[in-house]
Amino acid sequence: MNLISKVRSIQTAQKRPSVLVIGDLMVDHYIWGSATRLSPEAPVPVVNVKKESTTLGGAGNVVQNLVALGANVAVAGVIGTDVSGKQLIEILESEGVKTATIIADHSRTTTVKTRVLVGSHQLVRVDREVTEAVSAELEEELLAGIIANIDGADIVLLSDYNKGLFAPGLTQRIIKIANERQKKVVIDPKGLNYEKYKGAYIIKPNRKELAEAAKTEKISNLADLENAAKTIFIQTGTDYLIVTLSEEGMAIITEKSSKLMPVKATEVFDVTGAGDTVIAVIAYFTALGLSVEEACELANHAAANVVRHVGSATTTVDEIIKDMEGY
């Protein structure tokens, strides 16, 4: 049975995997306007606001990708007790996502990235965030919620955006809890400390993130990838390292083998959020029992779909199949 037939049979059976997403939740706030003059106060454009919109960013974008694919999703994370936090919860709940394990902390601000755009040109980005590690009390509350939800999950996805949630101790406790319950852990990593991801099934850095974590000057070919990967395998013992390579596709690396998967995109308008789509698709199809290689093939086609759109986008299983049939 070829891959398209496999995916169609999964659709016919109406299988819906349950995914527990633990991650740095954030809000993406967009302000669109026009700019026809410079400010008399400083050499900067004056933007006349035409419209504003709010979407989910960070781990929230991963969640929306999973929902678009058809997964049942529960989310664990930390937000502030502010308007943006309430908005984030409302968006998630409107999409049928379980939010009981999202903890509101009065000492934190919900991460909000505000982008001011004129036409397709981004003038400035303003970030509101707290990146300190969460308190010991919050860690315990979060872990209790994760333990309560993990048995109902087919797979656990960690979406790390380096905003203070994934301190090494907490990250290791989460992975240990998942492994004890035979739940595969899939990670979108950030930062330089990959040892905290020890025990994960899949770790998915991009080329730049891998080079930084492996302390390698540059990665320009498969040999460089394999050398950098050795460092990560020593640190984490992960089963699979999946490296996204932007316009070159992705690489699947294990301790014994490596394979390059060329990009499927024919047009690239915006790569924003493509990494979130890739990790969501890999987790979704791995949870349904497909091999990692099959899941990556599908993720490559999914990424081809989303990079054709400006801004973070999602894709559906039908759209992935359509892209495969036309390739």
Side-chain angles (χ1 to χ4, degrees), residues 135-153:
S135 68
E137 293 79 12
L138 270 179
E139 276 196 15
E140 295 307 320
E141 192 178 340
L142 192 65
L143 278 169
I146 288 167
I147 289 166
N149 279 276
I150 200 165
D151 287 332

Side-chain angles (χ1 to χ4, degrees), residues 191-204:
L192 303 179
N193 178 15
Y194 276 38
E195 288 183 0
K196 68 181 182 180
Y197 304 131
K198 191 176 179 119
Y201 181 63
I202 294 171
I203 302 175
K204 185 211 71 67

Side-chain angles (χ1 to χ4, degrees), residues 246-265:
S246 195
E247 69 280 353
E248 291 172 40
M250 66 178 71
I252 306 172
I253 306 171
T254 69
E255 288 195 83
K256 294 182 179 177
S257 67
S258 56
K259 179 179 180 179
L260 278 173
M261 304 185 79
V263 74
K264 306 298 182 185

Side-chain angles (χ1 to χ4, degrees), residues 13-307:
Q14 295 184 318
K15 290 182 183 174
R16 295 187 68 194
S18 293
V19 184
L20 174 58
V21 177
I22 306 163
D24 290 305
L25 298 159
M26 58 188 81
V27 172
D28 283 339
H29 175 216
Y30 293 90
I31 299 172
W32 280 276
S34 59
T36 56
R37 64 191 178 97
L38 290 177
S39 169
E41 302 158 10
V44 294
V46 175
V47 178
N48 183 15
V49 176
K50 301 294 184 187
K51 67 171 181 173
E52 296 183 53
S53 71
T54 300
T55 61
L56 298 183
N61 188 42
V62 177
V63 170
Q64 288 188 310
N65 272 277
L66 285 163
V67 169
L69 291 165
N72 295 309
V73 187
V75 185
V78 179
I79 57 173
T81 54
D82 46 27
V83 172
S84 296
K86 290 188 182 79
Q87 199 173 26
L88 189 149
I89 294 286
E90 284 169 7
I91 295 170
L92 287 170
E93 289 183 345
S94 72
E95 299 194 10
V97 175
K98 295 174 187 169
T99 61
T101 313
I102 298 176
I103 299 164
D105 176 12
H106 64 84
S107 70
R108 297 179 86 84
T109 301
T110 302
T111 301
V112 180
K113 296 182 179 179
T114 300
R115 296 169 177 87
V116 181
L117 301 103
V118 173
S120 59
H121 180 62
Q122 184 174 312
L123 292 186
V124 67
R125 192 180 96 185
V126 181
D127 289 3
R128 297 179 185 90
E129 62 184 19
V130 174
T131 57
E132 281 81 22
V134 299
S135 68
E137 293 79 12
L138 270 179
E139 276 196 15
E140 295 307 320
E141 192 178 340
L142 192 65
L143 278 169
I146 288 167
I147 289 166
N149 279 276
I150 200 165
D151 287 332
D154 296 309
I155 200 162
V156 178
L157 193 162
L158 273 53
S159 178
D160 190 350
Y161 272 81
N162 222 10
K163 302 300 179 191
L165 182 65
F166 291 105
L170 178 59
T171 309
Q172 273 298 287
R173 289 175 77 185
I174 292 168
I175 293 170
K176 188 180 177 192
I177 288 165
N179 285 338
E180 283 171 353
R181 288 159 174 78
Q182 275 115 33
K183 309 293 181 181
K184 289 173 178 171
V185 179
V186 179
I187 299 181
D188 207 345
K190 274 287 184 300
L192 303 179
N193 178 15
Y194 276 38
E195 288 183 0
K196 68 181 182 180
Y197 304 131
K198 191 176 179 119
Y201 181 63
I202 294 171
I203 302 175
K204 185 211 71 67
N206 61 33
R207 188 201 315 253
K208 182 173 178 284
E209 289 165 344
L210 176 62
E212 289 170 350
K215 298 178 175 60
T216 301
E217 192 173 324
K218 65 172 184 173
I219 294 175
S220 53
N221 53 44
L222 187 56
D224 290 344
L225 273 173
E226 289 169 341
N227 282 330
K230 283 175 189 171
T231 303
I232 307 305
F233 284 121
I234 291 167
Q235 291 175 347
T236 66
T238 188
D239 291 69
Y240 292 91
L241 194 65
I242 296 167
V243 188
T244 52
L245 304 168
S246 195
E247 69 280 353
E248 291 172 40
M250 66 178 71
I252 306 172
I253 306 171
T254 69
E255 288 195 83
K256 294 182 179 177
S257 67
S258 56
K259 179 179 180 179
L260 278 173
M261 304 185 79
V263 74
K264 306 298 182 185
T266 51
E267 303 169 290
V268 178
F269 290 109
D270 190 351
V271 296
T272 304
D276 292 334
T277 299
V278 167
I279 196 73
V281 173
I282 289 169
Y284 180 85
F285 285 107
T286 302
L288 284 169
L290 270 63
S291 70
V292 171
E293 192 169 307
E294 288 170 330
C296 286
E297 176 73 15
L298 292 160
N300 230 358
H301 284 282
N305 281 331
V306 300
V307 299

